[in-house]
Amino acid sequence: MNTESILADLHSHTTASDGMLSPSDLVARALEKGVQMLSITDHDTVDGLAQAHLFNRQQPEPLTLIDGTEISTRWNNFDIHIVGLNIDKTQPELLAFLASQRELREVRAQEIGVRLAKAGIDGAYEGAKAIAGDAALSRGHYARWLADNGYASDMPSVFKRYLARGKTGYVPNNWGDMANAINVIHQAGGLAVLAHPSGYKLSAKWLKKLVKDFAEAGGDAMEVVLGQQTIDDRNNLLALCHQHQLLGSLGSDFHFISNWIELGKNLYQP
Ligand code: AMP
Ligand code: MN
Ligand code: MN
Ligand code: MN
């Protein structure tokens, strides 16, 4: 995807998953911020895309809206996210796959609720469910409920205490493997992008192995430019990207309005 010289943001979330803006509001904000090409990549769903397109088409100067999704997978017991860009959001195999992801999410969410209850935190499942509405449950919804109810002061600390790998509310990952997600994305005509490679807290050695395995499994691209990263991180990702002849992608991973993460912000292309 040639995004040269335009402001592109190819990773964002709405209320269709664990984001806080509706698809229409997200498109409106992207337009406000001068984003010319936007991809909505909600976790394991394409449910927000129709509303986003409808709203975008009604604007005097619509942006280029790329259909996307962010698929949760398992790789060596880590939760690894694969973004699918430019997918056919009506493709039956893709929709069947996303439905099965939703079931896995529901099973996991119930288990998270049970684990938190055992730790003396009652009502978390119901609370998270009420926040999620129609969206499939994410740890993001649990995090908001826990923060709202005084179990931690902000999202990072709520994860650190309750929801990160190994913590009270963490349920061992049972997602499907990375190669299958890449395959599903390809069948739906999309490009498979390794999301936020430096966000998994992997050692340098494991990060290299991840990018290598991803490329060998047929992955097309990796995110190199993120909204919040050091120059060293960007250069390291760029080198890995070149080394494995992957395309580069970029995105803010916007979920909600904050002082730190913004649509299109800092997404300068190397
Ligand atoms: P899930 O897909 O249900 O496993 O939830 C993962 C989501 O939780 C991510 O997409 C983020 O929105 C959020 N998340 C994960 N780790 C953190 C963290 N350390 N701080 C804040 N949010 C996080
Ligand atoms: Mn999220
Ligand atoms: Mn992610
Ligand atoms: Mn994301």
Side-chain angles (χ1 to χ4, degrees), residues 20 22 26 34 36 55 57 75 90 96 133 137 145 165 170-171 210 213 262-263 270:
M20 290 177 74
S22 69
L26 188 86
Q36 293 157 293
F55 178 85
R57 277 198 297 271
W75 174 82
T90 65
L137 272 171
W145 184 85
R165 203 155 99 117
Y170 183 78
V171 174
L210 171 63
D213 284 2
E262 185 53 81
L263 289 164

Side-chain angles (χ1 to χ4, degrees), residues 174-229:
N174 65 346
W175 304 116
D177 69 31
M178 194 165 71
N180 186 46
I182 293 170
N183 202 19
V184 168
I185 290 167
H186 285 166
Q187 279 184 335
L191 290 175
V193 185
L194 179 61
H196 42 66
S198 44
Y200 304 115
K201 298 189 177 122
L202 300 174
S203 67
K205 185 177 146 201
W206 277 88
L207 178 58
K208 280 184 189 160
K209 186 167 156 51
L210 171 63
V211 176
K212 180 169 178 280
D213 284 2
F214 174 76
E216 285 176 1
D220 305 291
M222 62 182 263
E223 291 180 358
V224 170
V225 176
L226 316 171
Q228 276 197 313
Q229 67 183 157

Side-chain angles (χ1 to χ4, degrees), residues 74-113:
R74 184 183 55 211
W75 174 82
N76 285 303
N77 249 1
F78 291 101
D79 284 75
I80 301 297
H81 291 175
I82 309 296
V83 161
L85 291 180
N86 222 2
I87 46 170
D88 172 358
K89 61 179 175 297
T90 65
Q91 204 253 354
E93 283 83 3
L94 173 72
L95 294 177
F97 175 78
L98 295 178
S100 70
Q101 291 285 96
R102 193 184 173 106
E103 271 170 43
L104 289 177
R105 280 190 170 277
E106 178 57 30
V107 169
R108 184 187 64 153
Q110 289 181 17
E111 177 65 23
I112 292 174

Side-chain angles (χ1 to χ4, degrees), residues 18 43 72 79 81 105 108 137-140 155-156 159 255:
D18 59 355
H43 298 287
S72 296
D79 284 75
H81 291 175
R105 280 190 170 277
R108 184 187 64 153
L137 272 171
S138 148
R139 281 184 290 164
M155 299 289 269
F159 270 88
H255 282 74

